[in-house]
Amino acid sequence: MRQVRFIDPAGSTRTGEWVDGGVEFASQRFDVEDVSILPPTNPTKIVCVGLNYRLHAEETDSEIPERPLLFLKTPNTLAGHGDTIALPKDKERIDYEAELGVVIGEQCRNVSRENVDEVIAGYTVVNDLSNRDDQREEQNWVRGKAFDNSAPVGPVLAPPEALADDASIELRQNGEVKQSSTIDDMIFGVPELIEEITKLVTLEAGDVIATGTPEGVGPISDGDTVEVEIDGVGTLVNNFVAKEFSGDTSNDFMPGQ
């Protein structure tokens, strides 16, 4: 079962099953166009990993890291499948980054790589939007990585068994393939990441680990549609507009929660 959170036509928040062309809840079926898809989890934090694919490290002229490079995205960064996201104003470059997301199932600390299956609820799709203008200027990456709606996540929470060890990950911009790889090309795999993160950080149920992006990272422009697809998990789709948030979501974007 691929679990999906959504707001039904009556305005109620539901957790149901993603099926072809729609969602199901309590014997009711809704077309995707008739509901608002929410992020499949409400994390207290998103722990992100930088430079975790070898070819991405090469395209940025970076050395292969000796340990996972970690940074955080906060809950304000969440957006959902189908949301139209406003690009930050007066920034020259906002990049897309296709990533596999690991959703944590229970509070955990000091998890060994041999026991990570015990704490994984499932997998989802993440687009780690990056504000390169400010990321180049700061060390902590708050402006560069944690701006509003910079972490589209979804559309589903897929069970752990749905993800193959060599699952493909692909990003399409306006239908053109920009990123294409497999998750077995990661420098640090999911077991190593969970072990390393939980040495110092307590993960809560619902938290997300964004495991890094493959090569092919590039800029987003006004009017773009970006799709991120991970085999066995799902396809996350978002549209982008060059508008400053005005407080009127009908004209700017629909928040992802």
Side-chain angles (χ1 to χ4, degrees):
M1 172 180 172
R2 292 192 296 167
Q3 189 178 95
V4 58
R5 294 176 60 246
F6 64 98
I7 301 174
D8 70 14
S12 299
T13 299
R14 305 295 191 188
T15 299
E17 181 177 2
W18 182 277
V19 295
D20 290 340
V23 297
E24 291 184 350
F25 170 79
S27 301
Q28 291 181 292
R29 181 185 173 110
F30 305 97
D31 291 337
V32 172
E33 294 78 12
D34 295 332
V35 300
S36 297
I37 304 297
L38 302 173
T41 181
N42 281 315
T44 67
K45 54 190 168 294
I46 303 171
V47 184
C48 301
V49 185
L51 297 176
N52 199 29
Y53 283 75
R54 294 184 183 278
L55 291 179
H56 178 50
E58 290 180 10
E59 75 175 345
T60 59
D61 294 323
S62 302
E63 295 183 1
I64 300 297
E66 296 182 1
R67 64 177 185 174
L69 303 178
L70 305 178
F71 60 94
L72 295 175
K73 282 180 178 265
T74 43
N76 67 292
T77 64
L78 283 176
H81 171 79
D83 287 353
T84 295
I85 297 171
L87 298 169
K89 186 179 179 182
D90 298 328
K91 303 299 178 185
E92 292 187 3
R93 181 158 176 164
I94 307 296
D95 280 1
Y96 53 74
E97 295 188 18
E99 306 203 10
L100 171 69
V102 183
V103 181
I104 298 301
E106 62 182 61
Q107 186 184 76
C108 58
R109 176 79 190 273
N110 290 323
V111 181
S112 69
R113 65 187 67 187
E114 292 80 15
N115 295 325
V116 297
D117 290 345
E118 299 175 6
V119 302
I120 296 175
Y123 296 96
T124 191
V125 182
V126 178
N127 189 351
D128 173 21
L129 304 179
S130 301
N131 163 16
R132 301 302 189 198
D133 292 32
D134 289 311
Q135 187 180 3
R136 298 187 187 102
E137 299 296 325
E138 61 185 9
Q139 293 183 340
N140 55 26
W141 292 1
V142 173
R143 297 176 185 85
K145 290 286 192 175
F147 57 92
D148 284 353
N149 302 103
S150 62
V153 176
V156 301
L157 173 62
E161 63 269 18
L163 184 75
D165 292 341
D166 60 348
S168 62
I169 177 169
E170 181 175 282
L171 182 143
R172 299 180 291 274
Q173 183 179 32
N174 304 322
E176 181 180 353
V177 175
K178 296 292 188 177
Q179 292 183 278
S180 182
S181 187
T182 58
I183 63 170
D184 61 349
D185 194 43
M186 289 193 294
I187 298 168
F188 303 101
V190 171
E192 295 167 282
L193 293 176
I194 292 178
E195 181 179 74
E196 179 66 22
I197 291 165
T198 60
K199 287 178 180 177
L200 291 172
V201 177
T202 298
L203 295 177
E204 305 291 344
D207 283 353
V208 176
I209 299 172
T211 57
T213 194
E215 74 279 8
V217 169
I220 300 170
S221 299
D222 180 36
D224 281 353
T225 297
V226 177
E227 305 167 86
V228 183
E229 182 174 4
I230 299 178
D231 186 35
V233 180
T235 304
L236 171 69
V237 182
N238 294 101
N239 299 314
F240 294 86
V241 293
K243 288 184 179 181
E244 182 180 16
F245 176 58
S246 66
D248 179 357
T249 59
S250 65
N251 293 322
D252 287 285
F253 63 88
M254 181 186 298
Q257 56 178 342

